[in-house]
Amino acid sequence: MERAMNDKVNTMFAEEIGQTAPAGLSEAERQRFFVKKAAGYVAEESRALGRPLTAAVTTFGCQMNARDSEKLSGILREIGYRLQEEEDADFVIFNTCTVRDNANQRVYGRLGYLHANKKKNPHMKIALCGCMMQEPGAVEKIRNSYDFVDIIFGTHNIFKLAELIVRSYEQKGMLIDIWEDTSQIVEDLPIQRKYPFKSGVNIMFGCNNFCSYCIVPYVRGRERSRQPKDILQEIERLAADGVKEVMLLGQNVNSYGRNLEPPVSFGELLREVEKIEGIRRIRFMTSHPKDLSDDLIRVMADSKKICRHLHLPLQSGSSRLLKLMNRRYDKEQYLALAAKIRKAIPDISITTDIIVGFPGETEEDFLDTLDVVKQVQFENAFTFIYSKRTGTPAASMDDQIPDKVAHERFDRLLKLVQETARKRAGLLTGTVQTVLAESVNTQDDSLLTGRLSNNSLVHFPGTPDMIGGLYQIALLECKGFYYIGKQVKGELEDE
Ligand code: 5AD
Ligand code: SF4
């Protein structure tokens, strides 16, 4: 794919790097060239040290970042690094998040530990990428106070990791390569999946919504949808490789495909994914209430594969605040939508995100939020204290809420969310449900932990060889937020 005109490459080395690869290659081919070149450097260093080189990828933030980390891991593996979890590796990369300030603070804290590792292992390379690196202030701080970092890149050019590693072998000093935006989508790079049986699949990148509190549109750029044929081909390959569950990823999946030529809707894409043999479960994240269509509800209701779970961020129950947040729906519209979904798909689980302490939030606004939680009866809610993000419209709004008030509201909200979630949680007790076995239970290794279609966790007796299979499990008991179950039949070949 050609680099588009609006790609602003802010690096002093981009031209030089380009010249080391043969001309006329596609971006994916160029990167494969750099993978080979980097592999040469890594092999040489490994020979000199008399041991294999190791690499660790640490992920902060959301599912989108988790998927990006699988791409980074795939490239590192091809280059010849042995991947490990521990951060005492020869190459450590932090894939950062900046959605709230505490995510940034965690990165600074962890960098301190890495510095100690680097002093012990001078060959060590440290790279930072992801959302936080798209913020000029954060990069400036790292340049000034964390000068032991070797490579910094952003969200738009993660596919360039091999190229940047080559460069860091060829020059001294910190290498910084941040793009402000891109229209480029580079397909077909290596990926190292975390789970053999389930996988995220990016269907779109970026966000056009500009909710007034949110930094994502600034760090992830404008919305770009992948072509349906590329998505379907990726899922077919995953299915052939044994994947049973896919999670379609986008900041706002409900606006998928609007800008494609010809346009495609998210519902249409789902109908195609449903046809892929071998895929047994389809999930997706995240849905914006303003764009959730009746067609999507119909596709979900008709589907045997789309999971009974919808993550539908509310953010606030106050119509006044929703307007200030630029969410483009009000309390009544959200309630009507949730009721419509529950009616069409009675066994659905609805989860949400809620922010407390948005600038100007009054007690009355907050009571509206509590009211929506009571009415919708969310199966789960992720609750956040508003965090001021420099550069967003909300950061300069008057009447920022004192920490004490925000914390007090947060506690009240959490209590209500837990009460309602507990009420909903036990509803399937006594029924037999399909469970995808995902892991050995961390507390008791005679048990496996799996998930229901509605995303609830189930623990049941089983052995590690059953992981990745779908089983019929009788749900015997609900303990707060998870079930204890027992297998009633063998592995499901077909539903
Ligand atoms: N402060 C607090 N929470 C935020 N979120 C996004 N931006 C902020 C912010 N500035 C929350 C929203 C979003 C979730 C991923 O993070 O609830 O849905
Ligand atoms: Fe994900 Fe947003 Fe955090 Fe980036 S800033 S990692 S898109 S949650």
Side-chain angles (χ1 to χ4, degrees):
M1 219 177 279
E2 292 263 314
R3 179 171 293 170
M5 296 298 288
N6 67 347
D7 289 341
K8 296 187 195 107
V9 183
N10 167 22
T11 166
M12 22 188 184
F13 310 115
E15 293 311 316
E16 261 177 83
I17 293 171
Q19 280 165 19
T20 63
L25 298 181
S26 72
E27 189 55 55
E29 287 162 344
R30 275 185 85 245
Q31 292 310 318
R32 281 196 282 275
F33 167 87
F34 286 112
V35 164
K36 285 213 185 89
K37 198 160 182 202
Y41 285 127
V42 166
E44 201 178 304
E45 193 174 346
S46 164
R47 265 193 304 277
L49 291 171
R51 62 173 176 81
L53 293 195
T54 53
V57 182
T58 300
T59 311
F60 298 81
C62 65
Q63 302 273 356
M64 200 70 90
N65 261 19
R67 183 63 175 159
D68 283 351
S69 288
E70 294 187 342
K71 296 178 185 168
L72 297 167
S73 301
I75 295 171
L76 290 168
R77 188 197 53 198
E78 294 272 305
I79 290 175
Y81 285 105
R82 274 210 194 151
L83 292 167
Q84 63 175 47
E85 300 274 319
E86 302 76 27
E87 286 169 7
D88 60 352
D90 298 297
F91 189 96
V92 176
I93 181 162
F94 283 179
N95 188 8
T96 64
C97 171
T98 188
V99 78
R100 287 170 292 274
D101 188 53
N102 53 10
N104 297 44
Q105 296 314 323
R106 281 191 11 244
V107 169
Y108 293 127
R110 295 276 279 275
L111 274 175
Y113 287 107
L114 280 194
H115 196 193
N117 288 350
K118 189 161 181 169
K119 282 183 188 151
K120 279 185 248 153
N121 176 10
H123 301 276
M124 185 178 181
K125 285 189 190 299
I126 299 175
L128 301 175
C129 67
C131 296
M132 187 176 151
M133 300 305 121
Q134 294 294 138
E135 287 188 278
V139 174
E140 204 45 44
K141 180 164 171 174
I142 289 159
R143 203 205 285 262
N144 293 333
S145 311
Y146 300 85
D147 61 357
F148 54 90
V149 170
D150 299 277
I151 304 174
I152 299 183
F153 57 112
T155 54
H156 302 300
N157 53 351
I158 63 157
F159 63 86
K160 277 181 72 177
L161 175 60
E163 184 173 343
L164 296 169
I165 290 178
V166 166
R167 188 68 216 185
S168 85
Y169 270 106
E170 293 177 352
Q171 69 157 74
K172 285 207 160 44
M174 192 187 281
L175 178 62
I176 302 178
D177 187 1
I178 310 286
W179 298 8
E180 277 176 30
D181 202 353
T182 186
S183 56
Q184 192 170 219
I185 298 176
V186 182
E187 300 281 350
D188 290 334
L189 285 169
I191 294 192
Q192 164 86 35
R193 278 187 284 112
K194 193 166 175 198
Y195 302 95
F197 54 87
K198 67 173 181 178
S199 178
V201 174
N202 296 107
I203 63 166
M204 60 206 296
F205 302 93
C207 180
N208 283 354
N209 290 311
F210 291 94
C211 301
S212 63
Y213 50 80
C214 187
I215 199 149
V216 171
Y218 307 90
V219 297
R220 290 255 170 197
R222 293 293 65 71
E223 196 174 288
R224 310 169 296 285
S225 294
R226 283 176 75 196
Q227 289 293 340
K229 70 168 178 27
D230 292 332
I231 297 170
L232 296 171
Q233 190 184 59
E234 179 177 342
I235 300 175
E236 277 159 12
R237 285 186 194 156
L238 289 170
D241 201 25
V243 166
K244 296 197 175 132
E245 176 179 304
V246 285
M247 162 86 90
L248 309 182
L249 297 170
Q251 299 297 343
N252 176 10
V253 292
N254 296 315
S255 64
Y256 169 78
R258 269 188 204 161
N259 300 325
L260 286 174
E261 206 38 68
V264 182
S265 76
F266 183 50
E268 283 162 347
L269 178 72
L270 281 172
R271 283 193 183 92
E272 293 304 312
V273 177
E274 174 105 18
K275 290 182 197 152
I276 298 177
E277 230 174 280
I279 296 297
R280 309 281 288 277
R281 283 185 166 180
I282 305 167
R283 299 187 185 275
F284 53 84
M285 264 226 190
T286 285
S287 286
H288 195 307
K290 80 176 164 64
D291 295 313
L292 198 143
S293 66
D294 286 351
D295 183 52
L296 176 64
I297 299 176
R298 207 168 313 122
V299 178
M300 288 185 82
D302 293 345
S303 169
K304 289 204 165 56
K305 294 185 177 177
I306 302 175
C307 289
R308 283 356 201 183
H309 176 210
L310 191 66
H311 187 65
L312 194 63
L314 166 69
Q315 312 301 5
S316 168
S318 152
S319 297
R320 192 184 77 82
L321 280 197
L322 285 167
K323 203 168 172 73
L324 288 173
M325 288 177 161
N326 194 28
R327 291 290 289 172
R328 284 169 278 170
Y329 55 85
D330 61 19
K331 178 182 179 186
E332 279 63 42
Q333 283 165 326
Y334 188 96
L335 286 172
L337 180 62
K340 184 158 68 174
I341 295 165
R342 287 230 192 263
K343 183 155 181 254
I345 315 165
D347 53 348
I348 199 148
S349 154
I350 304 181
T351 59
T352 200
D353 292 340
I354 300 172
I355 299 175
V356 296
F358 183 83
E361 185 185 65
T362 61
E363 177 65 17
E364 199 184 348
D365 292 320
F366 178 65
L367 290 177
D368 270 331
T369 299
L370 295 185
D371 186 42
V372 176
V373 173
K374 277 187 206 136
Q375 292 201 47
V376 178
Q377 299 268 302
F378 295 109
E379 270 74 7
N380 197 3
F382 298 95
T383 50
F384 307 106
I385 290 181
Y386 167 75
S387 171
K388 188 170 169 175
R389 309 315 288 135
T390 310
T392 61
S396 49
M397 285 181 188
D398 293 337
D399 201 7
Q400 301 279 329
I401 302 298
D403 276 359
K404 194 167 167 282
V405 177
H407 277 96
E408 184 260 343
R409 287 184 188 151
F410 180 86
D411 292 343
R412 282 158 69 199
L413 174 64
L414 192 64
K415 192 160 166 275
L416 179 67
V417 160
Q418 286 175 345
E419 276 165 23
T420 42
R422 197 168 293 123
K423 259 190 256 162
R424 302 283 309 177
L427 292 181
L428 294 174
T429 309
T431 65
V432 174
Q433 300 287 333
T434 304
V435 173
L436 174 62
E438 299 200 347
S439 58
V440 174
N441 186 299
T442 46
Q443 314 284 318
D444 175 351
D445 64 11
S446 71
L447 298 178
L448 294 179
T449 297
R451 271 175 208 278
L452 298 180
S453 168
N454 77 3
N455 216 31
S456 295
L457 285 176
V458 184
H459 305 300
F460 60 98
T463 47
D465 56 300
M466 292 165 68
I467 291 173
L470 289 143
Y471 302 93
Q472 289 292 84
I473 304 288
L475 304 179
L476 305 174
E477 191 186 345
C478 178
K479 295 212 169 179
F481 299 102
Y482 60 87
Y483 290 97
I484 299 291
K486 190 178 90 190
Q487 190 182 347
V488 292
K489 280 192 214 150
E491 186 175 3
L492 289 175
E493 276 313 319
D494 239 349
E495 283 180 70

